[in-house]
Structure formats: C-alpha cells, structure tokens
Amino acid sequence: MIDAAAIGGYCHTIKLSRDYEQEQEQLKTVVEVIGRKVNQQEQKKTHVRKFMSMVKKHTDMTQFHTTIPCEFAEQIRVPKPIRPTNSRGG
C-alpha cells in the first residue's frame, strides 16, 4: 500500500521543481534585459568620453577652423522620434 504522505510529498517535490524551472527561465530573461541595458550604458559612456575629449581638444584653441563645427556635429546623437499611437485605430 502506498502511503498518502509519500504521494503528497512527491507531488510537492514536483511542484517545487516546476516552480524552480519557471523561476530560472524568468531569471535568464531578467539577466538578458539587464545585460542589454548595461551594454547600452557602456556605449553611451564611450560616446560621452569621446565627446569630452574633443571638447578638451578645442577648449584652448587659438584659431577657428571650419572643421571644428563639423567634428561637433558628427557627435550629436538624435534619438528616433516616438510616434504616438492613433487612438482612432487608423
């Protein structure tokens, strides 16, 4: 005869295992999202450092040259516009 407590324990173990696997999948997703955010921040930091080094390079300039505004303009990053959703469904 099978003990009811043993069956209950077995069912509980299966549920815990299933919960554990779901939690692991959720954590993998969270790690991927955070990893992408970290990479984005690293890229931003690199752009800022590059821009700041260019600013320092031109801080003490004695002559103005036409290439200087172009150098600054090349560093400007304009994000893509966010288009509002059409509430009329069209």
Side-chain angles (χ1 to χ4, degrees):
M1 179 171 238
I2 300 176
D3 184 8
I7 293 173
Y10 178 73
C11 290
H12 182 69
T13 301
I14 290 175
K15 182 184 179 314
L16 287 176
S17 177
R18 198 174 306 131
D19 291 348
Y20 174 79
E21 290 172 10
Q22 289 174 347
E23 183 180 6
Q24 290 301 304
E25 289 301 317
Q26 290 171 349
L27 289 174
K28 285 180 186 177
T29 302
V30 168
V31 167
E32 290 173 7
V33 169
I34 291 173
R36 284 193 297 269
K37 287 182 180 182
V38 166
N39 287 338
Q40 290 171 349
Q41 290 300 320
E42 288 294 326
Q43 287 177 348
K44 287 179 183 178
K45 185 169 71 171
T46 300
H47 293 305
V48 168
R49 284 186 177 160
K50 186 176 177 182
F51 183 78
M52 291 306 296
S53 71
M54 187 177 53
V55 169
K56 287 178 185 177
K57 175 177 138 184
H58 296 298
T59 300
D60 296 323
M61 66 180 177
T62 56
Q63 294 181 17
F64 182 79
H65 195 272
T66 57
T67 60
I68 295 171
C70 293
E71 285 182 48
F72 282 100
E74 289 172 358
Q75 296 301 316
I76 297 172
R77 306 272 190 249
V78 179
K80 293 181 183 178
I82 299 172
R83 299 180 79 189
T85 57
N86 189 347
S87 59
R88 292 182 231 156

